[in-house]
Amino acid sequence: MLLDINELHLSFVGGDEPAHILKGIDLHVAAGELVGLVGESGSGKSTSVRAALRLYGDEAEITGSIRVDGTEMVGADAATCRRLRAESVALVQQDPRAALNPVRRIGDSLAERLVRVHGKRRRDADERILALLTEVGLTQPERRMRQYPHELSGGMLQRVVIAAALSTDPKLVLADEATSALDVTTQAEIIAIFQRQIRERGLGMLFITHDLHLAGAICDRIHVLQQGEIVETLGRPGLFAEARHPYTRSLIESAPALERRAQS
Ligand SMILES: Nc1ncnc2c1ncn2[C@@H]1O[C@H](COP(=O)(O)OP(=O)(O)OP(=O)(O)O)[C@@H](O)[C@H]1O
């Protein structure tokens, strides 16, 4: 199992009163699986992902178990968490500009991690990045490597970030609203890239989104998160037909009218 979360509780303890945000989450992603985590804004989706990678310090109290590629993260030392983040997992978030250094050329930013963390020679790192920029559908990849982030559109930059995420051959990708800011065509292309990696390399993916219908179209299984609790898990076949929880039903019915008309 690539991601194995059991009975995860998380409270933020920085304020006057502790804020109990995650209330006993169970979540599993195996190799070759595309698993959705769906909920409204504030339900705790990003907190779950950040907790899984142990990106919180003293501000959060965590209990339960989070195993990433077989290694327990709760209680692990900083070096173990860093190693797992570098070797096994990639996180792709919504805003690609936040993930890239604005004053460095794209090629330099992407090569740096391969050279520094993964010990690749610069020439090999450049070759790998060039191949990946082509694979994620960027035209003129050599030129892109020489450009700065502000010279590319949001959709192009998200492709760059995905190339960066795949460059280290992660086993698990945590995609946190990774396609939410993109137009529908770019979103479909990027999802197709993820699906190919899942099929061909056995990548496991947790796909976090507020869009239940998008998750329903692509995921093998969907966990529905409401106020820090997984209230329902939907699996194929019959995905939405099996939804029983009122919160899930309200998410299904809250699809824009146009979208529902197109489906009927
Ligand atoms: N560092 C923090 N300290 C205190 N509370 C926090 C912290 N980070 C998040 N929260 C709270 O945790 C709750 C869940 O937030 P989270 O960002 O995980 O939601 P989300 O489902 O990802 O929503 P969105 O899609 O809007 O990002 C919110 O009430 C938020 O205010």
Side-chain angles (χ1 to χ4, degrees), residues 74 141 198:
V74 178
I198 291 167

Side-chain angles (χ1 to χ4, degrees), residues 22-39:
L22 302 180
K23 301 162 187 160
I25 297 219
D26 292 324
L27 199 62
H28 316 283
V29 181
E33 255 188 345
L34 176 49
V35 176
L37 181 62
V38 178

Side-chain angles (χ1 to χ4, degrees), residues 12 19 21-22 39-48 56 59 176-177 208 210 225:
F12 288 111
I21 302 294
L22 302 180
E40 287 173 323
S41 183
S43 56
K45 305 182 298 293
S46 298
T47 304
S48 307
Y56 294 117
E59 74 270 32
D176 187 359
E177 302 278 10
I208 293 127
H210 61 279
L225 189 65

